[in-house]
Amino acid sequence: MTQPQSTSLQLQGTPNFRDLGGTKSTDGRSIRPRLLLRSEGPFYLTPGDIDTLHGLGIKLVCDLRSDGERVSAPNGWCVGKPVELLNFQGSADLRAAGNDAWEALRADPSAKGAERAMLHNYKSMPWVMAPHLRIMFDKIIDEKALPLLIHCTAGKDRTGFVVAILLLALGIPEETIMADYMLSARHIDHRFADGIVEAFTESFGFSPSPDTVVGMISLDRSYLEASFASAAEEAGSIDGYLEKNLGLTPIRLVQLREILLA
């Protein structure tokens, strides 16, 4: 299995941050360094981290969080900088108010119920995210809005899905995509569990069990596979999803790859 290329670019306060540069496509080319960046949210950024982000010259930030999450931890580091914020409006995460996967947990607030809720979220992501993904790809191809930073709160689920779709469009092998997705498992800790516990308690009036919390913050490749299957089932194939739902015709895919691969 081909592992995603790692780089030395790191942030101290937000360890689930990485540069996708160097990741190899099936045609032998690689993603150009420091153009595609993925991260957790801005809450734990240190002053040094902010200096690093400013130094990267980021032009576009795709923020996949809900409005409530943005209020709690705004992207203040972008203020006064020539950075465009593209806020994805959706609730495909257990932190987002109004997420109907909570009903699965209401019926079964166990570790198994948490797994079902996660699968529900991942299956909905291709359709919740599609209008915003189309805009993101248009900005990359037509406006050369790069470097691009993609993030949510923990940088694992919503970010994992959006990055996976971007990598699929670039012709990155699926096993490499899965390997990058699972890298986020190294950085799952109490910082993100606390928010889940708070939302669960507010919704149900009691705290979740430790096993349920683990189920809600863990990564499993079956989750991302469920997203791919959902997209392929509705659109006929992943390629059909890219073209019909995201506007990535064969010509647009060539343009995207010329911009991001070398």
Side-chain angles (χ1 to χ4, degrees):
M1 179 179 68
T2 303
Q3 294 288 339
Q5 194 85 3
S6 62
T7 69
S8 59
L9 186 61
Q10 296 179 336
L11 298 182
Q12 181 181 359
T14 56
N16 198 16
F17 168 90
R18 54 190 177 273
D19 176 12
L20 295 168
T23 307
K24 289 191 176 298
S25 175
T26 53
D27 66 5
R29 291 184 290 175
S30 299
I31 297 176
R32 301 176 194 270
R34 303 198 174 190
L35 288 186
L36 295 181
L37 309 162
R38 59 173 295 172
S39 182
E40 58 190 79
F43 187 82
Y44 295 101
L45 288 173
T46 68
D49 294 339
I50 293 173
D51 288 342
T52 298
L53 291 174
H54 288 167
L56 290 169
I58 294 168
K59 292 184 180 179
L60 179 65
V61 173
C62 291
D63 186 340
L64 315 181
R65 300 174 298 165
S66 66
D67 289 339
E69 292 170 285
R70 294 186 193 108
V71 170
S72 297
N75 272 309
W77 68 273
C78 297
V79 175
K81 299 294 179 180
V83 180
E84 180 180 0
L85 283 171
L86 176 59
N87 292 332
F88 282 42
Q89 301 297 331
S91 58
D93 189 84
L94 290 174
R95 295 171 188 81
N99 184 304
D100 58 7
W102 281 108
E103 294 308 312
L105 284 169
R106 188 183 302 279
D108 180 10
S110 66
K112 193 65 178 176
E115 180 182 348
R116 282 194 288 268
M118 293 298 292
L119 284 169
H120 176 93
N121 276 340
Y122 272 84
K123 289 175 182 178
S124 72
M125 283 184 192
W127 317 110
V128 172
M129 301 286 195
H132 311 291
L133 284 168
R134 181 184 283 264
I135 294 171
M136 181 189 78
F137 281 116
D138 286 347
K139 287 186 175 296
I140 294 172
I141 296 169
D142 300 326
E143 301 178 25
K144 310 300 187 293
L146 297 165
L148 161 66
L149 172 66
I150 300 167
H151 80 87
C152 53
T153 291
K156 65 183 186 74
D157 297 314
R158 291 165 289 185
T159 298
F161 169 74
V162 169
V163 167
I165 292 298
L166 180 50
L167 295 180
L168 280 172
L170 291 174
I172 306 300
E174 187 168 327
E175 282 304 312
T176 302
I177 295 171
M178 286 293 175
D180 173 70
Y181 170 73
M182 291 303 300
L183 280 178
S184 293
R186 299 178 182 179
H187 307 296
I188 297 171
D189 56 34
H190 68 279
R191 295 178 302 155
F192 308 117
D194 290 348
I196 290 290
V197 171
E198 180 180 351
F200 186 104
T201 304
E202 287 179 359
S203 293
F204 303 132
F206 61 93
S207 298
S209 70
D211 287 345
T212 299
V213 174
V214 169
M216 295 165 79
I217 66 172
S218 295
L219 282 175
D220 193 294
R221 65 177 290 153
S222 66
Y223 296 160
L224 189 56
E225 288 169 345
S227 284
F228 292 166
S230 176
E233 181 178 3
E234 185 73 21
S237 66
I238 286 292
D239 288 342
Y241 172 74
L242 294 177
E243 181 167 359
K244 296 174 188 176
N245 296 90
L246 308 186
L248 292 173
T249 63
I251 291 174
R252 298 288 277 176
L253 284 175
V254 169
Q255 293 172 329
L256 180 74
R257 294 173 185 182
E258 286 300 313
I259 292 166
L260 290 171
L261 300 177

